[in-house]
Every structure is written in structure tokens, then in C-alpha cells.
Amino acid sequence: MTSPIRIHVDRDSVAMGDDVQSHAHEIFVVEGTPLSAVLDRAAPEIRASGWSWVAVVSDQTAAVWSVDHGVRMLVDDIPVTTEIDVFFRYFVQIDPEWLYARLRAGDPPHRYDLEREYAPLARERREQELRRRERESDERYLSPEFVRAATGLGAVVDLHADTVCRFEFRDELWSVQRSDTMTLVFRGGGAPVASLRPTAFGQCWIIAALAAEVRASLGLPRFPEFAAHPAPELHAMSGSRTGPVRWAVTGPLTAQVTGDDGLDCFRIAVGRSIREIIDLMLPTAG
């Protein structure tokens, strides 16, 4: 009777907080178990569709694993006859089938190089998926009132699905996206200029930001004189030595906004509806 073989298993962390406890553990298998079966049993407990993992066995890239496709071997599926170390490297949301094909073709398992190579394809696939959802579902992320107000200020909506609203405004691309419970506002490229909750408040903040641009184009101060409603106090976040200050508050009303304009939009939006913001900032707009 043979003794069980010890398998040392570990994996990458996938996010902040995931590395609070070690992922290292051991499993035991019967001698002669195919390597693919060992990897399947040792696979990460995180079962998120579309996430890719590369299994490294004793320093050799051995397989791609995903919850979608299971174990896809890159080496011979030999029986295991001695203790081995198995480490699962996290390859983010690179499509598992695409990743397997690239590694099978001989590409080195350099995550960041493969991530850069896959990025254009990922954007194309995401765009196709958003267009499909916009076409096939009536669900929209932002309210009809927001859309009417934004288009009335000059925004041209390019895409509006259940999690994203994208529009062009004064030759600049804006994107409003849902991330868990937060509304993220992107203006041009780079990081979001605002992260807001709840969504209804986020819509008011965006309308105030658009109206400020319209006022500036008319030769007016970006913001009128106004009486601010009672509001939670925002504090300057650390690490703002370069670029505009990032302001933040957490609670039932949660916000991170960039610069003095972002702060003024916050103060105007608190306690006001979309219609009230338009009447305050552009009283002749209708």
C-alpha cells in the first residue's frame, strides 16, 4: 500500500485584503494521480468566470486553469509520484482560452506583456457586449431626467446601457460607469474625476459639472453665488502634492471628487434636484 503524496499549494492574492492570511496549504493525493487531476483539486477557491490562472509546478509553467474551462495542460499529463510544489499565478481577466492559445504557441508567461497584448481585444469585446446589452435591454443606468438635462446642455449620448453611459460634451468624451455601489465619472482619459454614491446624487453632480462648462463658455463665472445646503464636510486626501486636490467623504453620501470645481459641484448638488441645479446655474436655460 502506497503512502499519500503531499502537494504544497499556494496562489497569488487577487486584491487588497486577500493577502491578510496566507494561501499556502497542503493536499494529499494517491501516487500515480495524473497531474491534471492534482491541479484540478488544488485550483484556487476563487470561482469567478473569466479569471485566468497559470499553474506553475516546481518552477515549470504547466497549465492554465479557469472556472470556465478547467485545467488546460501545457505539459505532458504525467502521473505524480513524488511531492511537488504548485503555485497558481493570477493572470487577471485575460480570456482563459486566448491565454492558453498564446502559451501553447510558445509565448513566455509574462503577465504584464500578455495583458498589454490582450488589452485591445478586451476593449473590443467589452464594447461589443455593451452594444448588445444596449440593443437588447431597455434597462439604462442613468435616469431619463438626467439624459434630458445633459442633452439639453449639449451632451451627445454615444452609448447608454445598464452599467455605462457614455457621451461627448464640448469635444470631450465623458463616461459614467457603475462600480459596485459607486458611480464613477471619467472625463477624457485617465483616472475618474469623481466617485459618488448614491447614483441619484452622482447624476446631480455631473449636471452641475456640465453646467459649469456651459457658464464658462458664455463668459460667466463657472459657478454662481449660491447658498449651500447642510452637507457633510469633505477632507483633502493624502498624497495630493501633485495635481488638483482630491476631496473625500464617506457615509450615506459618499464622494471622492477632484479639484475645486469638483468640490463646488458637490456643494451645489447636495440637497438639490437636477431641475433645481439647472435653474440655479443657467436660469435662462428653460
Side-chain angles (χ1 to χ4, degrees):
M1 187 176 188
T2 60
S3 300
I5 294 177
R6 187 190 310 267
I7 309 296
H8 307 273
V9 183
D10 204 350
R11 69 167 175 84
D12 281 335
S13 296
V14 300
M16 291 180 62
D18 185 40
D19 55 0
V20 174
Q21 294 182 331
S22 172
H23 307 302
H25 63 284
E26 295 177 343
I27 63 173
F28 293 86
V29 301
V30 176
E31 183 178 351
T33 301
L35 179 57
S36 59
V38 174
L39 296 178
D40 186 61
R41 184 175 164 192
E45 73 281 9
I46 298 175
R47 304 279 162 153
S49 180
W51 289 23
S52 294
W53 300 81
V54 170
V56 179
V57 177
S58 300
D59 297 325
Q60 182 182 25
T61 300
V64 173
W65 180 86
S66 68
V67 70
D68 309 86
H69 306 289
V71 176
R72 304 293 303 276
M73 297 297 295
L74 295 165
V75 297
D76 292 339
D77 193 10
I78 61 174
V80 174
T81 58
T82 186
E83 287 190 15
I84 57 173
D85 296 324
V86 175
F87 192 91
F88 284 91
R89 296 177 58 207
Y90 177 47
F91 270 60
V92 294
Q93 284 81 51
I94 298 176
D95 177 70
E97 282 286 276
W98 183 91
L99 177 61
Y100 173 74
R102 300 304 300 167
L103 296 181
R104 190 73 176 173
D107 280 19
H110 298 159
R111 171 186 152 183
Y112 296 110
D113 290 343
L114 290 165
E115 196 173 7
R116 281 192 294 271
E117 184 180 347
Y118 181 68
L121 181 59
R123 288 192 294 268
E124 180 182 345
R125 290 182 176 181
R126 173 168 168 75
E127 182 70 15
Q128 291 173 350
E129 173 62 13
L130 288 172
R131 294 291 180 185
R132 182 193 65 77
R133 282 154 51 183
E134 180 187 44
R135 183 173 62 252
E136 297 179 3
S137 172
D138 292 332
E139 186 176 355
R140 298 292 180 260
Y141 183 36
L142 303 179
S143 68
E145 182 185 11
F146 171 87
V147 174
R148 286 193 297 270
T151 55
L153 292 172
V156 178
V157 176
D158 170 60
L159 179 144
H160 196 185
D162 56 331
T163 59
V164 176
C165 181
R166 191 170 64 212
F167 56 88
E168 187 173 302
F169 180 74
R170 308 184 83 76
D171 298 322
E172 190 171 38
L173 186 65
W174 292 58
S175 181
V176 186
Q177 305 176 17
R178 183 175 70 199
S179 177
D180 194 13
T181 61
M182 302 297 289
T183 294
L184 305 184
V185 184
F186 296 84
R187 181 175 175 177
V193 297
S195 178
L196 307 152
R197 183 175 61 206
T199 300
F201 175 73
Q203 294 182 143
C204 291
W205 186 94
I206 297 166
I207 292 300
L210 299 181
E213 295 296 327
V214 174
R215 286 179 57 90
S217 72
L218 297 173
L220 300 171
R222 296 180 66 81
F223 297 93
E225 297 291 332
F226 66 95
H229 293 294
E233 184 176 353
L234 282 79
H235 63 273
M237 298 173 65
S238 60
S240 298
R241 294 181 179 178
T242 60
V245 174
R246 186 85 166 170
W247 302 91
V249 65
T250 302
L253 190 65
T254 297
Q256 290 185 15
V257 297
T258 302
D260 292 340
D261 269 16
L263 186 59
D264 284 335
C265 290
F266 176 87
R267 290 169 173 159
I268 284 180
V270 170
R272 291 185 171 89
S273 67
I274 288 175
R275 182 70 262 169
E276 289 170 335
I277 293 169
I278 295 292
D279 289 343
L280 171 65
M281 297 189 70
L282 297 164
T284 62

